[in-house]
Amino acid sequence: MDMEMLIGLIGALEKKGVGVQLSVEGQKTVEITVKDKKIDVNIVNPSKIGTLIKELNLK
């Protein structure tokens, strides 16, 4: 997943009014919701953020 795909995902979340959870090694790591043009990112498991960024190939 690259940055362009992530931005597209956020746009789709806003249109549908839903959220997404990202997991690393079966452990929920991040929750993302979009409402009224505001993005809410909840880091559930901070110890896995580095791994998540690496797996998503974000820099």
Side-chain angles (χ1 to χ4, degrees):
M1 178 179 287
D2 60 15
M3 188 62 74
E4 191 172 300
M5 289 177 66
L6 190 57
I7 291 170
L9 174 62
I10 290 170
L13 293 174
E14 183 175 21
K15 277 185 174 179
K16 300 289 184 180
V18 297
V20 68
Q21 296 176 348
L22 302 175
S23 298
V24 174
E25 300 169 357
Q27 297 179 5
K28 184 168 53 172
T29 303
V30 175
E31 299 171 331
I32 302 171
T33 55
V34 182
K35 186 175 181 180
D36 299 326
K37 306 254 183 228
K38 295 178 184 167
I39 300 170
D40 180 32
V41 178
N42 181 22
I43 300 173
V44 179
N45 190 345
S47 67
K48 298 290 183 182
I49 290 298
T51 304
L52 180 64
I53 290 170
K54 188 175 183 180
E55 287 186 17
L56 293 176
N57 202 19
L58 300 174
K59 296 178 183 176

